[in-house]
Amino acid sequence: MDGCRSGVPTYEGDLHVVAAAHHIVKALGATKNLSDDLRKILIDLDSHLSMITSNIDSKGGRGLVDVEERLDLAERKIMRWETDPMMIWDSGPKEASDYLEAVDETGKLVDGLRGLSVHENRKQKEILHRAMNIFQTAMSRLEEELIHILVRHGQQFEPKNMYSRSIRKDIVYDESFVSVEDEPTKETSSQNCSNDESGECIVDLVHADVIPDIKSIAKVMFTSNYGPEFCEAFISVQKEALEQYFSFLGTENLSIEDVLKMEWTCLSSKMNKWTWSMKIIVRVYLASEKQLCDQVLGGLGSVSSYCFLEISKATILCLLNFGEAVAMGPHRPEKLLRLLDMYETLADLLRDIDTLFSEEAGSFIQLQFHELLERLGESAIAAFKAFRVAISSNGSLYPFAGGGVHPLNKYVMNYIRMFPEYWNTLNLLLKNQHPGVADQVTKPDYGPDTSLLTSCPMAYHLRSITSCLESNLHKKSQLYKDEALQHIFLMNNIHYLVQKVKGSELRLFFGDEWIRKHNAMFQQHAMNYERATWSSVVSFLKDNNPGSSSMSKSTFKERCKGFSIAFEEVYKTQTSWSIPDPQLREDLRISTSLKVVLAYRTFLGRNLAYTDDKCVKHTVEHVENSLLDLFGGSSRSLRNSRRW
Amino acid sequence: MPATDYQASFLGRISIRRNQVIAMDGNHEQELQDLELFSKHVSERFAELLSSPDDVPFDALLSISWLRKLLDFFLCCEAEFKGILMMGNDPSQISKPPLDRLIPEFLDRSVKALDVCNAVTNGLESVRHYQKLAEIVVSALEQKPIGDGQSRRAKKALTSLISAMNVDDKECSAAKATERSWSFSRRGVSSKDRVPEHFRSVSNHVAKNWSAAKQIQAMTNNLVPPRGAEGSGLASPVYTMSVIMVFVMWALVAAIPCQERNGLSAIHFPAPKQLNWAQSITGLHEKIGEEWKKKEKKGTAGLLDEMQKMEKLGNILMDFTDSFQFHGDITDQKAEEAAAHAAELAEPCRRMEEGLLPLQMQIREVFHRIVKTRTELLNALDQVGKSSPPLL
């Protein structure tokens, strides 16, 4: 192309060279698929060549003097800025275009002079060197101006407005599996996302007003063969801007060793942040960077994608490495949801990545993304398995006081309540994972009820998890010496399980049949409790000889005493037991009341003759009221309290 | 990479598999043969690396192609090692002494190696930058006739190149990154071609205060040759593979710009001379160590052959551009010399253009391989832990 830009042919003999060049330019210009920039360059050349032809025609060999005059003029325009502390592009568009014109002129002169034979006279050689010297000064200056414009007009954008920290999960579940005491869910202040999650969001990384300036600098530097300088400067500034933005997001570089040693709470928040940063970096920052590269360097072949790759590679690798480190770490159950978040984010971004790095050189980055996705998937499955293992192996040495809802149960149910959110991903990952042999029993015997959701892989695994949980709870119930308390414990826990399923999307996966079955299960435990506790108590009130009208006084006395003692004993013990669910507590009291109070009333009614006696320690009302105190979670005694 | 390398490694892999099948029969003789074969392959491979002729630039010690061969050998040795450790033997062996101690130590080393891989990958970005600057020098000086303009263009790129290559390792790390600015201080500076300050130094780092030298030093912790009866068992391939891993990482760090390399030459790993395979590694270690000591004092970006050539030619050409500016013109002879040097500089540029990306990808492959083996070993340990009776 340099050859075509000849500015000063001094001999007739050159005329045919110019004509040939002109012809080539015209031929090139006729090509259909040319980029706009290239087309413009060709048009420029075309007019320039026409000008030369007319120059040669009119002036013949007198060009050298003319050249020197033109060079003097351009030199003045270029060199005056070398002593000026102002930047050219800051001084105004007129200054900038004057400068570019002078550069263009110098470039033409250089090319023209170089097109001449080297063995020309000394004077000519001198002018060429001078022109090239000025040209170098100008190119060097343009590089500075470029960096200045990019830095000065580079724009930071607030990540907060881009994506909410927790886009769809409103619950942070960061507790480690081993340390669960209370309800481990806490609501976070979830901001609403201003962007649709899938929506592209492109911002101006450099102010839109200066894009034409940058383009004009790019154009002149590339046509003058200073493309490499342009690229290095452009890449340097943009790469640093990205790195700054990266640290602005609060993402620090961590070694793999550091990540592996990190404590769970810290790791969890880093994983969360990663998910968030990854989205912003890829979908907003890199998409915008790509656009900038294309705006500035589009039409220059692979230059744009080369620059984009060089700018983004290091940061991308840094993000990927954190992912690798997380996937490598121990597969603890509490990691599952965070891993799924990371997996889904990555899976979601793959299309963006494949577009951003579609060129061959970028396939390396593409490949790394796909590798990490696979690794995260494996890691998530491993964490899932670890979760089940942790459930079945969670052992206790002592019974859980009061027979309430066990923390393990709470942890597990609150945890799996989140699973439906990850339905698609979990199904995909669990598709080829068979639940253990022991879990075959959980295969649904649902018959016609089986819907699509209850028979998906996740549903199988969910039921397998709850069946692990149930059998563990059964094991835990065996720690109670009191059979009645075993039933209270199981009733409470199975009730809790069913409530959690019913109260969330889990119900769709467990199905009505499962719910019915488990409802029946806790009701059975309630009945078993009543039998275990109250049968013996009520047996005092039973009429052994239904035929006879009434029992003897001494028998009555004895029965009364026996009932009182037994009732007081139950009262003392079972006030300390706990039924956390108020409805369940109420139901059990009513049903107990029906059984006990009714029997007591009948008993007293049948033996009205003796009821005045002091041996009747408790009135029916007393008994009825006392029953309300059961399962309150704090032990009381009837003997000391004299409230009736 | 010549095709024969792949062929060799391919055949190597086949022979492992065949041996594993036989070893599964529980034949102790076969196991011994496997171990012998492993150490034989290791010594053959490293002997080949040691004998790389210095006068053939393509394969010279620490050239890009040499490093790629080194990494290829690493991958081969690793595959063979894993075969011996996990397939050819009773799996419960890895949970028994001395492997119950050696394997976790090995895994720990693996994790450290991963961070080194990443640091080196970052370093390759800098090498890429040197390449681009050198290419500018070449394109400026290959124009004829050489005038003040091209000379200044070359000088500007050379100044950036030489200062970038002399960046202290410490500057590669975190501290500087935040202070960097793009000031040119236009006022009062008379130089015609200002080189921006801190022009694109290594800003990506593994982590704050991370040091490649310390990391490799830590990899040598507990690295002692197996003694006595252990020497004939599986302890010996674990030791061999550890030494190979440490050596490969050490060589990469010496060759490629990397975060914090103070004390790199002080690292030595005890490889007893009587072990056949150890001789070549020790030889290489000494050879590279000597080189490093020479360069360390001056401050060097790394011993990568192409980079060293670049540095040498860069300095010659810098003198040329200096004298050009001083005299205003030069003799034809000088111009020809400069053109010849520029043409020479084009050679390492070309090899970088061809080799850097594949090298980067290969380092990533090593990274993934180490991760994979680590996972498999952990799973195997887990499996063994489950099947053995609980300790309670």
Side-chain angles (χ1 to χ4, degrees):
Chain A
M1 187 163 290
D2 288 324
C4 304
R5 284 179 35 142
S6 89
V8 275
T10 45
Y11 297 94
E12 294 291 327
D14 285 327
L15 196 57
H16 73 275
V17 178
V18 176
H22 205 163
H23 183 72
I24 293 167
V25 171
K26 277 207 188 302
L28 285 173
T31 317
K32 271 179 186 148
N33 36 0
L34 279 181
S35 71
D36 290 348
D37 294 274
L38 195 54
R39 191 177 295 279
K40 195 160 177 303
I41 291 166
L42 287 172
I43 291 168
D44 286 350
L45 276 176
D46 188 31
S47 64
H48 185 58
L49 285 167
S50 310
M51 192 189 81
I52 294 166
T53 318
S54 64
N55 259 0
I56 293 169
D57 287 345
S58 62
K59 292 185 183 168
R62 289 188 32 80
L64 209 52
V65 180
D66 182 43
V67 167
E68 212 171 354
E69 278 167 16
R70 282 163 67 189
L71 187 60
D72 284 344
L73 189 67
E75 185 181 25
R76 270 198 299 281
K77 283 186 185 173
I78 289 169
M79 295 312 286
R80 90 168 170 91
W81 284 104
E82 290 306 295
T83 49
D84 197 318
M86 283 289 282
M87 294 306 280
I88 304 165
W89 264 261
D90 284 352
S91 310
K94 174 83 173 67
E95 276 73 11
S97 68
D98 275 359
Y99 192 81
L100 281 179
E101 229 169 73
V103 175
D104 193 43
E105 175 79 354
T106 316
K108 281 173 187 164
L109 294 172
V110 167
D111 289 344
L113 286 162
R114 196 186 277 146
L116 302 175
S117 158
V118 212
H119 301 293
E120 279 322 309
N121 59 48
R122 226 184 109 95
K123 176 77 177 160
Q124 195 175 305
K125 207 171 156 190
E126 221 179 86
I127 299 175
L128 172 62
H129 283 314
R130 214 182 103 209
M132 279 167 69
N133 213 350
I134 298 166
F135 197 63
Q136 165 61 25
T137 304
M139 286 297 138
S140 186
R141 179 56 183 253
L142 285 177
E143 195 185 324
E144 274 180 53
E145 294 282 338
L146 168 70
I147 292 173
H148 176 76
I149 293 171
L150 287 172
V151 171
R152 183 157 175 229
H153 299 280
Q155 306 201 106
Q156 285 247 335
F157 62 91
E158 263 309 295
K160 289 205 174 60
N161 305 329
M162 292 300 162
Y163 290 102
S164 137
R165 268 304 166 88
S166 46
I167 284 154
R168 36 175 212 160
K169 284 97 206 174
D170 54 344
I171 291 176
V172 179
Y173 208 91
D174 283 349
E175 298 299 317
S176 131
F177 190 87
V178 280
S179 64
V180 215
E181 286 305 326
D182 322 276
E183 194 82 1
T185 56
K186 39 186 183 236
E187 303 288 320
T188 51
S189 54
S190 75
Q191 307 158 297
N192 265 329
C193 180
S194 57
N195 297 74
D196 182 10
E197 199 184 346
S198 58
E200 284 260 318
C201 182
I202 290 180
V203 295
D204 290 325
L205 293 181
V206 173
H207 200 285
D209 292 351
V210 298
I211 299 286
D213 298 340
I214 302 173
K215 271 180 88 163
S216 60
I217 294 176
K219 189 188 147 195
V220 69
M221 286 184 79
F222 272 91
T223 45
S224 321
N225 266 329
Y226 276 69
E229 272 97 336
F230 182 93
C231 287
E232 285 309 284
F234 184 76
I235 292 167
S236 297
V237 180
Q238 291 307 102
K239 193 176 173 204
E240 188 171 318
L242 173 56
E243 276 156 22
Q244 261 169 14
Y245 189 74
F246 191 60
S247 63
F248 174 70
L249 288 180
T251 329
E252 54 180 321
N253 290 352
L254 292 164
S255 72
I256 289 177
E257 227 182 347
D258 289 344
V259 176
L260 290 180
K261 281 181 196 154
M262 201 171 276
E263 275 195 28
W264 167 240
T265 40
C266 182
L267 181 64
S268 165
S269 83
K270 294 251 187 276
M271 287 166 87
N272 224 4
K273 195 168 242 171
W274 183 91
T275 314
W276 177 70
S277 311
M278 191 62 145
K279 269 183 207 150
I280 293 176
I281 292 281
V282 172
R283 206 160 261 162
V284 185
Y285 200 105
L286 291 185
S288 308
E289 188 74 62
K290 179 82 173 170
Q291 182 189 266
L292 177 67
C293 289
D294 286 344
Q295 278 174 340
V296 172
L297 301 163
L300 290 166
S302 60
V303 177
S304 168
S305 57
Y306 159 74
C307 287
F308 176 70
L309 183 64
E310 292 295 311
I311 291 165
S312 53
K313 197 196 237 171
T315 301
I316 285 281
L317 282 178
C318 182
L319 276 167
L320 287 171
N321 280 333
F322 177 80
E324 292 284 353
V326 168
M328 272 174 68
H331 308 302
R332 283 188 307 234
E334 58 266 29
K335 257 168 88 175
L336 179 58
L337 293 184
R338 289 280 98 82
L339 278 170
L340 289 172
D341 280 337
M342 288 173 74
Y343 180 91
E344 290 193 344
T345 302
L346 217 54
D348 206 32
L349 292 174
L350 275 190
R351 241 180 327 135
D352 302 66
I353 290 296
D354 290 350
T355 329
L356 287 172
F357 298 96
S358 55
E359 320 284 325
E360 209 205 320
S363 60
F364 171 61
I365 297 288
Q366 270 190 42
L367 187 73
Q368 297 307 312
F369 263 88
H370 287 267
E371 289 241 14
L372 178 58
L373 185 71
E374 202 176 306
R375 202 86 65 233
L376 284 172
E378 287 163 9
S379 192
I381 292 173
F384 193 93
K385 287 180 180 160
F387 181 51
R388 206 168 46 199
V389 170
I391 294 168
S392 32
S393 63
N394 176 283
S396 316
L397 290 176
Y398 305 102
F400 181 63
V405 180
H406 196 273
L408 174 73
N409 192 0
K410 287 186 185 174
Y411 184 93
V412 171
M413 291 315 290
N414 282 310
Y415 204 79
I416 66 172
R417 213 159 54 126
M418 312 298 295
F419 286 8
E421 294 244 25
Y422 302 88
W423 178 49
N424 282 321
T425 304
L426 276 172
N427 267 347
L428 188 76
L429 292 176
L430 294 170
K431 203 163 54 191
N432 303 315
Q433 302 292 321
H434 303 289
V437 187
D439 306 308
Q440 291 305 316
V441 283
T442 63
K443 279 218 167 185
D445 42 352
Y446 296 151
D449 172 55
T450 315
S451 75
L452 210 60
L453 288 180
T454 52
S455 58
C456 70
M458 187 180 90
Y460 280 110
H461 284 271
L462 277 173
R463 287 190 294 264
S464 127
I465 282 177
T466 52
S467 95
C468 272
L469 177 63
E470 282 168 50
S471 60
N472 188 312
L473 290 169
H474 270 280
K475 241 184 341 195
K476 289 192 191 317
S477 77
Q478 299 302 309
L479 296 168
Y480 297 106
K481 286 193 190 100
D482 191 331
E483 192 201 334
L485 187 51
Q486 290 179 2
H487 290 299
I488 288 291
F489 176 76
L490 286 172
M491 176 196 73
N492 273 331
N493 281 284
I494 292 170
H495 177 261
Y496 181 83
L497 210 120
V498 177
Q499 287 309 109
K500 283 287 168 184
V501 169
K502 271 161 74 182
S504 68
E505 281 182 66
L506 285 175
R507 68 180 182 282
L508 305 171
F509 298 92
F510 280 86
D512 293 341
E513 190 53 41
W514 185 95
I515 293 172
R516 258 197 296 281
K517 207 172 121 196
H518 283 75
N519 268 333
M521 229 183 253
F522 81 77
Q523 277 157 6
Q524 184 62 49
H525 284 297
M527 270 150 62
N528 291 349
Y529 152 77
E530 284 179 14
R531 194 162 50 235
T533 298
W534 297 107
S535 297
S536 59
V537 180
V538 172
S539 69
F540 287 106
L541 311 176
K542 284 243 173 79
D543 200 347
N544 288 343
N545 307 308
S548 66
S549 57
S550 64
M551 58 183 72
S552 67
K553 187 171 180 177
S554 63
T555 316
F556 175 77
K557 252 176 130 171
E558 203 179 291
R559 293 285 185 94
C560 252
K561 196 178 170 200
F563 174 79
S564 294
I565 292 169
F567 185 77
E568 281 164 17
E569 193 52 44
V570 168
Y571 183 87
K572 192 184 159 199
T573 329
Q574 300 198 3
T575 43
S576 71
W577 296 1
S578 130
I579 301 178
D581 184 81
Q583 187 61 49
L584 183 63
R585 191 165 60 225
E586 189 62 25
D587 288 350
L588 194 66
R589 276 172 187 160
I590 289 170
S591 122
T592 309
S593 208
L594 276 176
K595 196 171 178 182
V596 179
V597 175
L598 198 69
Y600 196 45
R601 183 174 285 134
T602 315
F603 172 73
L604 293 181
R606 279 179 167 234
N607 302 291
L608 267 176
Y610 319 126
T611 47
D612 292 339
D613 202 287
K614 276 183 188 157
C615 65
V616 182
K617 199 170 167 189
H618 306 295
T619 66
V620 174
E621 287 71 32
H622 294 163
V623 169
E624 202 168 358
N625 288 332
S626 307
L627 284 175
L628 296 178
D629 294 335
L630 300 185
F631 317 119
S634 57
S635 180
R636 292 170 169 213
S637 169
L638 274 180
R639 263 169 245 172
N640 302 331
S641 70
R642 286 284 166 214
R643 49 189 184 116
W644 47 77
Chain B
M1 177 81 25
T4 46
D5 288 346
Y6 285 116
Q7 206 179 2
S9 60
F10 177 61
L11 289 174
R13 279 177 196 136
I14 290 204
S15 72
I16 315 159
R17 216 153 279 155
R18 185 174 43 95
N19 288 313
Q20 278 151 13
V21 174
I22 301 166
M24 268 196 268
D25 298 337
N27 189 334
H28 186 66
E29 288 285 303
Q30 189 57 50
E31 185 190 309
L32 284 179
Q33 274 182 31
D34 271 351
L35 297 183
E36 234 164 72
L37 204 62
F38 174 62
S39 78
K40 182 168 167 274
H41 286 155
V42 172
S43 37
E44 277 169 9
R45 285 173 187 138
F46 280 86
E48 192 184 330
L49 287 167
L50 182 62
S51 67
S52 272
D54 280 341
D55 48 338
V56 182
F58 193 77
D59 261 347
L61 186 71
L62 294 180
S63 63
I64 292 175
S65 62
W66 187 89
L67 285 176
R68 291 190 58 198
K69 202 191 239 176
L70 173 72
L71 293 176
D72 194 45
F73 286 170
F74 174 84
L75 290 170
C76 293
C77 293
E78 212 270 351
E80 225 169 305
F81 165 72
K82 197 167 81 180
I84 289 174
L85 201 61
M86 296 179 64
M87 290 189 275
N89 288 284
D90 172 15
S92 68
Q93 256 188 288
I94 57 171
S95 66
K96 286 179 194 152
L99 289 189
D100 62 336
R101 175 177 54 84
L102 295 175
I103 296 279
E105 279 170 13
F106 177 79
L107 293 178
D108 194 44
R109 244 169 245 137
S110 302
V111 171
K112 291 187 163 68
L114 294 178
D115 281 325
V116 176
C117 285
N118 286 336
V120 171
T121 305
N122 286 342
L124 284 177
E125 295 285 296
S126 308
V127 181
R128 183 95 173 140
H129 180 54
Y130 307 155
Q131 178 206 335
K132 293 291 157 186
L133 290 170
E135 280 172 3
I136 293 174
V137 176
V138 172
S139 89
L141 294 180
E142 73 188 0
Q143 289 178 33
K144 279 180 189 158
I146 290 180
D148 196 23
Q150 290 105 311
S151 161
R152 275 173 49 213
R153 184 183 182 191
K155 188 182 160 72
K156 185 172 184 242
L158 281 166
T159 311
S160 295
L161 175 65
I162 289 167
S163 74
M165 284 176 107
N166 284 323
V167 166
D168 191 4
D169 287 351
K170 278 202 183 97
E171 285 178 59
C172 298
S173 57
K176 273 274 162 105
T178 46
E179 298 163 19
R180 234 180 312 160
S181 64
W182 293 101
S183 75
F184 294 89
S185 48
R186 290 201 59 79
R187 255 174 245 272
V189 173
S190 59
S191 159
K192 278 184 247 169
D193 306 286
R194 279 165 290 265
V195 175
E197 286 171 40
H198 308 300
F199 196 78
R200 197 163 165 199
S201 64
V202 192
S203 50
N204 268 83
H205 52 277
V206 175
K208 257 187 213 166
N209 304 324
W210 190 86
S211 151
K214 278 188 197 148
Q215 189 85 351
I216 290 174
Q217 182 73 63
M219 283 174 78
T220 64
N221 282 352
N222 311 319
L223 186 56
V224 279
R227 261 172 265 174
E230 281 182 10
S232 62
L234 283 176
S236 105
V238 174
Y239 171 73
T240 308
M241 198 59 221
S242 293
V243 172
I244 294 172
M245 191 186 275
V246 176
F247 173 75
V248 169
M249 294 304 142
W250 179 85
L252 283 174
V253 168
I256 295 163
C258 205
Q259 190 178 337
E260 271 285 358
R261 291 181 289 190
N262 259 336
L264 192 66
S265 59
I267 295 170
H268 55 98
F269 19 99
K273 294 250 178 187
Q274 68 268 25
L275 293 173
N276 221 351
W277 58 269
Q279 280 170 14
S280 311
I281 291 187
T282 316
L284 283 166
H285 180 231
E286 278 165 8
K287 217 167 159 184
I288 299 169
E290 281 304 308
E291 257 329 270
W292 179 260
K293 262 183 229 161
K294 268 190 260 166
K295 300 275 170 175
E296 197 177 27
K297 283 171 207 141
K298 285 194 289 173
T300 177
L303 299 178
L304 188 71
D305 184 59
E306 283 80 1
M307 252 160 55
Q308 297 216 66
K309 291 216 164 65
M310 224 169 229
E311 196 174 6
K312 200 178 109 210
L313 291 163
N315 282 322
I316 294 172
L317 289 169
M318 191 69 164
D319 289 345
F320 167 77
T321 57
D322 280 344
S323 72
F324 200 110
Q325 275 199 308
F326 188 73
H327 297 295
D329 204 354
I330 38 139
T331 61
D332 285 350
Q333 195 205 336
K334 281 244 176 189
E336 264 168 43
E337 269 175 34
H341 284 132
E344 227 181 299
L345 183 60
E347 182 56 21
C349 287
R350 197 182 52 75
R351 275 192 263 138
M352 284 181 178
E353 180 64 33
E354 282 167 7
L356 282 184
L357 189 63
L359 179 62
Q360 198 168 29
M361 287 165 83
Q362 212 177 356
I363 291 174
R364 201 67 188 166
E365 194 188 340
V366 166
F367 177 96
H368 287 309
R369 177 73 74 76
I370 293 174
V371 170
K372 208 169 160 223
T373 300
R374 181 180 170 275
T375 311
E376 285 173 30
L377 275 173
L378 283 174
N379 285 346
L381 283 174
D382 199 37
Q383 220 52 46
V384 173
K386 264 183 210 156
S387 56
S388 63
L391 293 168
L392 282 173

